[in-house]
Amino acid sequence: ATNTPDPNCRAQSGQCGPSTTCASIGFPGLCCSEWGYCGSSVDHCGGDCCQNGPCLNGPPAPTPPTGNPPTGNPPTGNPPTGNPPTTGSNYSADHGEDSRLIAYVGNWQACPTAEQVDAYSHLVIAFAVSYTYSSSKNNCDAQCNIASSVPICNNMNNQALVDTWRDAGKKVILSFGGAGMGGSWFGDQNNCWDYCFGKEEALSTSLVNIIDSQKFDGIDIDYEYCYDVAGKQSGRCAQRSGAYTDFKAQTFLDQLTSKLRTKLDALQANNGYNRGRYEVTHAPMDSDMTPSSSAYFQILHNRRADLDFLMPQFYNGVTRPALGVDGSGGGQMSAAALFGSMSNELFDSEPNKVVFGHCINNCGGTGSNINAAQAVQVTSDLKNYNQGEFACNGGAFFWVAADDIGGAWSDAVLAEVSETAGCSNFGGPSTTSTTSTATTTTEEPTKPAT
């Protein structure tokens, strides 16, 4: 038996449907949601859009049919799910390369609770850096040395906590950089990136060694500094040293990405890492991803084979998605248009590789704070945009776990993000020091309006 969903439900273009039950494709006892995905949450079984299965508003689950599941060409629209998504608590990274919910963890802040972490697929430990903190201007290491280990949270290393998260199916990624390394906004005083230019070989080795020793699942580069003061960023980064040139900055971004990919692949061949490949990502500001001819955009495009996904920050004022994903919201352009540029131009029409970045509470200066209801709406609207072009997207990330009080923000957003978990399966502030042992931490600076 099937349920007749409300005619106003969203497009049904996944793997299950009105005449294809979840049981018939190998997932007995699950509901077929309005999107055509199998699951057991209220979002799958509730409302007026559950298509079949143990719908809360419909008939009991049908008897699983005998015989082989249907075969044939994949449907158009939303790619089908390969596994039933994990929703509610204990969400993980194991469903596939899409529909992520990624939390940044400030390693100077309190450790996230189990109540928070249950909704996360990934945790990004922020940050490894090459400076010691100073309130006026951070003290840069002239050789771009970083500590041999990083704190996880509470300014302390906590390998047992990392192991617990990973045992629950989460991926834990190290982030290098952040605002304390230097920013391109007016008034910033820090320029520690300058001293890393030309040192990509040693830096990439140090980062890979940390990933190996602390059992991380990959690396994020959080670069918010200048790379084109001769053009796009004219007048910016007045704090840059004599070591800075646009050529050096652009070479650094290109070569660090390449070397990290090569060395992480070699590490995997050596240690047998078995959770896919080690992940490499960047978290660029939205202002650096427009136009698509910008140098940073083109570097990432040329290195797209080295990247597993991208985490653009949609909270620096260029886009203001909280006021509507398909409008400018008082910013300079539509977040949906910028998302499409990265999905279709930076990557090769791969929206599942673009993870939409939110800021819960630290981005008032750019008018970009977003509450849970707004983030849910953004995620839903992005899936529906342009007749579902981005329905199977990379999910969402947010800054920062400390602002996800009691897990309320992440639980709400997960309910929407997880609707499409597995959809890509078909077919296929700061840590560091000037030495290698000591570590100093401090809060991440708040970026002003740009």
Side-chain angles (χ1 to χ4, degrees), residues 150-173:
V150 297
I152 303 303
C153 45
N154 277 333
N155 284 335
M156 297 175 63
N157 195 352
N158 191 334
Q159 191 61 49
L161 191 56
V162 172
D163 292 344
T164 297
W165 293 338
R166 296 184 74 243
D167 287 345
K170 321 292 182 182
K171 289 191 175 182
V172 186
I173 295 174

Side-chain angles (χ1 to χ4, degrees), residues 50-252:
C50 177
Q51 300 185 66
N52 56 59
C55 301
L56 299 179
N57 64 323
T63 301
T66 59
N68 296 325
T71 60
N73 294 325
T76 57
N78 294 354
T81 179
N83 296 298
T86 306
T87 56
S89 62
N90 299 321
Y91 197 56
S92 79
D94 295 337
H95 61 261
E97 299 302 318
D98 58 74
S99 307
R100 306 165 185 87
L101 186 56
I102 302 176
Y104 272 84
V105 176
N107 52 10
W108 68 98
Q109 296 176 324
C111 298
T113 65
E115 184 181 30
Q116 294 172 284
V117 172
D118 67 356
Y120 308 161
S121 64
H122 297 63
L123 298 94
V124 180
I125 306 304
F127 299 96
V129 296
S130 61
Y131 63 79
T132 53
Y133 174 70
S134 173
S135 59
S136 57
K137 180 181 182 299
N138 290 331
N139 299 310
C140 309
D141 187 284
Q143 298 303 315
C144 193
N145 291 317
I146 61 176
S148 59
S149 66
V150 297
I152 303 303
C153 45
N154 277 333
N155 284 335
M156 297 175 63
N157 195 352
N158 191 334
Q159 191 61 49
L161 191 56
V162 172
D163 292 344
T164 297
W165 293 338
R166 296 184 74 243
D167 287 345
K170 321 292 182 182
K171 289 191 175 182
V172 186
I173 295 174
L174 174 65
S175 183
F176 174 70
M181 287 285 290
S184 61
W185 46 89
F186 291 111
D188 188 67
Q189 299 298 311
N190 293 307
N191 59 6
C192 295
W193 289 109
D194 291 2
Y195 303 98
C196 294
F197 299 159
K199 300 180 178 67
E200 299 85 2
E201 181 68 34
L203 176 60
S204 59
T205 295
S206 296
L207 290 169
V208 169
N209 287 342
I210 295 172
I211 291 168
D212 186 25
S213 65
Q214 295 187 248
K215 299 180 182 178
F216 293 128
D217 295 286
I219 185 72
D220 163 52
I221 304 302
D222 191 340
Y223 186 92
E224 304 175 9
Y225 194 53
C226 282
Y227 52 85
D228 186 18
V229 295
K232 173 181 171 63
Q233 297 168 313
S234 178
R236 302 272 178 155
C237 295
Q239 76 274 30
R240 63 190 186 275
S241 73
Y244 177 92
T245 69
D246 286 346
F247 176 78
K248 288 180 180 178
Q250 293 172 28
T251 300
F252 173 81

